[in-house]
Amino acid sequence: MALTRLRLENFKCYANSGAIPLAPLTVIFGGNNTGKSSILQSLLLLRQTLDSPEYAARLNLRGTLYPAGSYADIVHQHRTKEHVIIELGIVTSDGGKAGDIQLEFSSDEPQPPRLARLRIEASSVEPLEIHRGVGRGGPYELVIGGATIGGEKRANFRFPVNQLLPAIGEEELPRVGRPNIRHQRSRAFARQVLRELEGTLRQMKAVGAFRHQPVRRYEYLGRSPDVVDAVGEYMVNALIEDATRRGKRRGELLRSVNRWLNAVGRVRLMPLKRISRAARIFEIRLRDTDSGRWANFADVGFGIGQAFPVLVEGLRTPPGGLFIVQEPEIHLHPDAQLRMADFLVSLARAGKRVIAETHSEYLLLRIRRSIIGPVKARGTRPRLAPREVSIIHVEKRSDGTSHAHPLEIDELGQIKKWPRGFMEEATEERMAIMEEMAKRAGTRS
């Protein structure tokens, strides 16, 4: 399943974010404290709930991916009587059926937020909804096409223990008459959407804005845990596992990482050096591709250490999987930022879906350039079609609410209706320099 759209309602700074289109490569821009990170946090919140579910259908606000605090901290303007809504547009993996899934949560302090309503709809089926019945703690009811089918037992659905998403069974056959084909189709579509949504979230990889600093020695912990490694805690473990596995795929990840380390930082990983066989301690060394000199990972430039988890986790994201990254360009030289943009473009071309929050004008320039045609700089870079790129600009309004604006981009990489205040100061500086150069050239002549 591919996520094609996201909308947030009453979530943090968003009263209503508006539709946020998600393409193979989605880049989110905006000033500080406008709400860019909140877009990513909504998805991380769903993933950490799947990883460490609360009892019953509730959000986990205490996970490591997004320690959100209390319901008052995530609901817009701390209005705890309001409901938080996360709405996702989807396209199913078989046949490409488009639909929407809406998850609505309510406060239930001191318990974690409770799922108040789940709605799944598509043009090809009648909408299916599960919501709370009468009263604050009333039982869930199933509604299809506006008709109430009944509670969990009668309507044949249930919320498994410690699961956020429900299990929806088949329509019970009537004793007299024909089965309701429309209801059966709605149930089948809902089952597929819920199954694929969970699969998409579980395949998610993510790297946050703050990553662990490199250290001099790493202990191999065995098979890498199937968790979102937002700080790069297990990246070296994944490389050691890759280098020591058996079969044709041995070293595959290492070779791919080296290709991009060379492009981004002009360094390459040397063969992993085992320091202690008894304790499985390894040293990570990198060689400068220009001078040939090597250094311990802890002694390499800080920018490379911060870029390293982005490369590893991006490459580890499976085809069709979702890769979320905050500030992939952090601490990188402008030229290296261009190469990092090439890396994100390559992930999108490989069938992965990338959502990047960034402040980098260089990333935007390279992505725009990749739409015009292949970039030939240390190898041919792949080309993206405008429909494969979604550029989102987040702005904060005077009333304190935020809104996400999709920016339209054409085949020449030009952004239509350039938003006011969007990277204007850098453009003005360039114009001022060019005007001054023109004045001085005119004076000399």
Side-chain angles (χ1 to χ4, degrees):
M1 181 184 79
L3 297 180
T4 60
R5 184 177 58 83
L6 174 65
R7 188 181 70 85
L8 303 174
E9 188 173 328
N10 292 324
F11 184 72
K12 300 193 72 176
C13 57
Y14 294 102
N16 188 337
S17 67
I20 303 171
L22 303 178
L25 176 56
T26 302
V27 284
I28 304 171
F29 293 88
N32 292 325
N33 198 36
T34 56
K36 303 185 303 299
S37 298
S38 297
I39 296 173
L40 307 186
Q41 287 165 351
S42 66
L43 297 172
L44 295 174
L45 190 57
L46 293 178
R47 170 59 196 263
Q48 81 177 16
T49 299
L50 291 180
D51 284 342
S52 302
E54 298 284 355
Y55 184 78
R58 299 176 182 273
L59 277 179
N60 178 10
L61 303 183
R62 300 174 298 176
T64 57
L65 294 181
Y66 176 41
S70 67
Y71 187 79
D73 295 313
I74 67 167
V75 70
H76 181 62
Q77 296 184 349
H78 314 295
R79 298 173 179 171
T80 56
K81 292 184 179 181
E82 300 292 335
H83 288 193
V84 168
I85 295 175
I86 302 175
E87 184 176 297
L88 301 163
I90 56 95
V91 171
T92 59
S93 56
D94 63 331
K97 294 180 182 177
D100 295 300
I101 178 168
Q102 190 176 94
L103 299 164
E104 182 176 328
F105 300 95
S106 62
S107 174
D108 193 29
E109 294 291 347
Q111 300 296 323
R114 181 190 293 270
L115 180 67
R117 184 173 66 94
L118 180 149
R119 182 178 176 86
I120 299 172
E121 54 185 316
S123 59
S124 57
V125 297
E126 290 187 335
L128 181 148
E129 183 174 303
I130 296 175
H131 61 215
R132 305 295 298 180
V134 178
R136 181 182 178 186
Y140 286 106
E141 295 179 337
L142 178 68
V143 179
I144 301 179
T148 300
I149 309 302
E152 294 188 28
K153 185 175 181 180
R154 180 178 179 183
N156 194 20
F157 75 95
R158 64 187 177 89
F159 283 90
V161 176
N162 293 354
Q163 292 292 323
L164 173 64
L165 303 176
I168 301 175
E170 297 284 350
E171 180 91 356
E172 291 191 1
L173 298 179
R175 295 179 180 178
V176 180
R178 299 179 179 180
N180 192 318
I181 302 300
R182 297 194 307 276
H183 288 190
Q184 289 180 335
R185 288 174 178 170
S186 294
R187 285 173 179 263
F189 181 74
R191 282 195 298 272
Q192 181 181 15
V193 168
L194 293 172
R195 182 173 60 250
E196 293 194 24
L197 174 61
E198 181 170 354
T200 297
L201 292 173
R202 290 200 183 281
Q203 285 187 322
M204 176 196 297
K205 302 290 183 184
V207 176
F210 303 100
R211 301 135 204 178
H212 282 328
Q213 286 187 257
V215 297
R216 296 196 174 277
R217 302 288 186 269
Y218 289 88
E219 181 180 4
Y220 179 48
L221 304 175
R223 185 172 179 82
S224 300
D226 187 20
V227 297
V228 175
D229 187 14
V231 295
E233 183 178 358
Y234 303 109
M235 63 170 183
V236 172
N237 197 75
L239 288 170
I240 297 172
E241 180 183 349
D242 172 73
T244 56
R245 71 169 56 166
R246 297 181 179 180
K248 295 181 179 180
R249 296 187 61 190
R250 179 175 180 174
E252 184 178 74
L253 177 62
L254 189 66
R255 289 189 293 272
S256 297
V257 169
N258 261 339
R259 185 166 62 252
W260 285 105
L261 275 175
N262 184 40
V264 172
R266 304 298 294 158
V267 296
R268 294 178 64 86
L269 276 168
M270 297 175 64
L272 304 182
K273 184 179 179 181
R274 189 166 184 176
I275 304 299
S276 169
R277 290 186 176 276
R280 298 189 297 180
I281 303 297
F282 286 79
E283 180 184 13
I284 307 301
R285 301 168 298 165
L286 289 93
R287 185 184 299 278
D288 186 285
T289 56
D290 295 323
S291 68
R293 296 179 178 178
W294 69 269
N296 185 283
F297 189 21
D299 297 324
V300 178
F302 191 67
I304 295 300
Q306 294 296 290
F308 204 92
V310 179
L311 301 179
V312 173
E313 291 305 288
L315 291 168
R316 292 183 65 213
T317 304
L322 181 63
F323 177 52
I324 293 175
V325 57
Q326 291 179 273
E327 299 185 49
E329 77 284 355
I330 194 167
H331 296 294
L332 289 179
H333 182 274
D335 289 346
Q337 293 183 36
L338 294 174
R339 306 289 184 263
M340 181 59 76
D342 292 336
F343 174 69
L344 299 180
V345 169
S346 74
L347 294 181
R349 295 299 296 151
K352 305 174 185 185
R353 299 185 77 83
V354 180
I355 305 177
E357 175 203 341
T358 179
H359 293 282
S360 173
E361 182 184 14
Y362 298 98
L363 253 72
L364 179 59
L365 286 172
R366 182 65 109 197
I367 291 169
R368 292 172 61 191
R369 177 69 178 87
S370 71
I371 292 174
I372 300 173
V375 180
K376 293 186 177 180
R378 293 181 184 155
T380 300
R381 303 301 193 263
R383 181 175 181 271
L384 286 174
R387 59 179 173 77
E388 296 176 303
V389 178
S390 176
I391 300 176
I392 307 298
H393 177 243
V394 181
E395 67 168 355
K396 180 165 285 187
R397 296 167 170 169
S398 58
D399 62 359
T401 63
S402 295
H403 192 80
H405 296 278
L407 304 183
E408 188 178 353
I409 190 167
D410 62 20
E411 290 80 3
L412 295 177
Q414 298 301 303
I415 294 175
K416 301 179 180 179
K417 297 182 180 179
W418 192 276
R420 185 177 177 181
F422 180 45
M423 297 184 177
E424 275 186 1
E425 291 189 12
T427 302
E428 290 172 357
E429 289 298 307
R430 292 190 184 97
M431 293 299 296
I433 292 171
M434 293 175 67
E435 288 173 0
E436 188 61 30
M437 290 172 62
K439 287 179 184 178
R440 296 190 183 189
T443 303
R444 291 184 186 133
S445 60

